[in-house]
Amino acid sequence: MALLNDAGQKVLLRDYTWEELSGIPGREELKFLLPIGAIEEHGPHLTLHTDALQAEKISEMAARRVPGVIVMPVISYGFCVDTMNYCGTVSLSAETILMLVADIVKNLYRHGFRKLLIYNGHGGNNGILDASLKNALAGLSGPGEHCLADFNLYLSNSYEKISGQVRELVKGRDYGHACEIETSVMLALAPEAVNMDKAVEEYMDGDQDTVWRVRDMQSASKSGIHGAANLATPEKGAKILEMLVGNLVALLKKI
Ligand SMILES: [Zn+2]
């Protein structure tokens, strides 16, 4: 059964036939939404696909509320330099991500689509995705051309815009990875993927500015957690989830 939006239109690219898709009028106004996450350690209590699952589900929930949005299949892998030493983390190289984004943009452009929003669920992807978007746009122009304007590319990093509101809900000393916030969201989104018996509180040394300069997280956090995962609740998760979805809905309406 295909996922439909509030107007009864299909939401997922994979549910369309090529004829159905090509028959949609005004294709340059269609908004493609590409979720990207990571396959990465998330402590002893959350599964490796936590970021990919959040990006995918939040994209689907937001797309259902805005007409004319088509969700592309999630890119499950991401750029995970800090957490590589934990068993199971599988990182793409920066070069691969650059090429992947450029290829997707090129193909959408070829079919006459002109709007793509990348929804990023993994903090480690932020920098490389920003560069990838610019690189993809530059790749659409011929040598010597300055015309980058006829394809609209947007990037939204999931927690970025709501970090102030999220901070108010945190009961632990800090948060950041596989933490109180992320575990709460997972309890609301996919409780079967959470084992609260193994959710602990651990912090990497230093303030957040220092923490994010750590290159091997395993040397700073035995569990792979930065935060108080044990303080996560589904109620808190539902609130944060609504903020995340609401933020993406507002963005999708604006573009
Ligand atoms: Zn995560």
Side-chain angles (χ1 to χ4, degrees):
M1 181 67 186
L3 189 71
L4 303 178
N5 64 17
D6 294 343
Q9 300 157 328
K10 287 184 194 176
V11 165
L12 306 180
L13 179 61
R14 66 169 185 238
D15 286 336
Y16 281 89
T17 66
W18 75 267
E19 279 187 329
E20 286 170 346
L21 194 63
S22 72
I24 298 178
R27 64 173 82 173
E28 63 284 344
E29 285 305 314
L30 277 181
K31 299 162 183 179
F32 280 76
L33 177 58
L34 173 62
I36 177 164
I39 296 297
E40 177 187 52
E41 77 80 16
H42 271 76
H45 66 298
L46 297 176
T47 53
L48 296 167
H49 81 318
T50 295
D51 286 353
L53 186 126
Q54 287 182 80
E56 182 180 41
K57 293 298 163 205
I58 291 166
S59 292
E60 290 178 4
M61 289 164 81
R64 293 189 69 177
R65 299 192 201 168
V66 186
V69 178
I70 295 181
V71 182
M72 303 181 77
V74 62
I75 300 176
S76 292
Y77 299 102
F79 189 57
C80 309
V81 175
D82 302 9
T83 53
M84 256 178 199
N85 287 338
Y86 296 91
C87 188
T89 294
V90 179
S91 181
L92 298 180
S93 67
E95 295 88 335
T96 302
I97 296 174
L98 276 171
M99 290 197 290
L100 194 56
V101 171
D103 282 349
I104 290 170
V105 167
K106 214 182 299 169
N107 280 272
L108 291 177
Y109 187 83
R110 174 204 288 255
H111 298 310
F113 304 116
R114 292 292 181 266
K115 289 182 181 177
L116 173 66
L117 168 61
I118 296 187
Y119 184 67
N120 172 31
H122 167 62
N125 289 337
N126 296 6
I128 185 61
L129 283 178
D130 186 56
S132 296
L133 261 62
K134 288 168 184 160
N135 181 62
L137 270 186
L140 291 179
S141 312
E145 282 177 18
H146 295 287
C147 173
L148 298 175
D150 85 323
F151 194 94
N152 300 289
L153 263 173
Y154 308 88
L155 172 62
S156 172
N157 296 314
S158 62
Y159 288 86
E160 208 166 65
K161 285 273 188 299
I162 63 160
S163 58
Q165 292 161 276
V166 163
R167 181 82 250 183
E168 289 168 23
L169 296 172
V170 176
K171 297 268 184 285
R173 173 156 70 79
D174 200 2
Y175 73 102
H177 183 73
C179 56
E180 184 180 346
I181 295 305
E182 212 172 6
T183 306
S184 292
V185 170
M186 287 300 283
L187 282 172
L189 203 55
E192 70 285 355
V194 186
N195 180 357
M196 282 306 285
D197 293 340
K198 289 189 174 271
V200 296
E201 181 171 16
E202 183 174 359
Y203 300 96
M204 293 188 280
D205 290 336
D207 57 25
Q208 271 219 356
D209 286 347
T210 326
V211 164
W212 298 122
R213 265 183 246 127
V214 170
R215 283 297 166 260
D216 170 23
M217 186 170 163
Q218 201 171 32
S219 64
S221 171
K222 200 165 151 283
S223 63
I225 292 170
H226 177 72
N230 55 322
L231 300 181
T233 65
E235 293 75 23
K236 220 181 306 190
K239 271 190 208 159
I240 302 161
L241 191 57
E242 186 45 42
M243 288 179 206
L244 290 165
V245 174
N247 181 55
L248 184 53
V249 164
L251 191 56
L252 284 167
K253 284 181 177 166
K254 203 153 63 173
I255 68 172

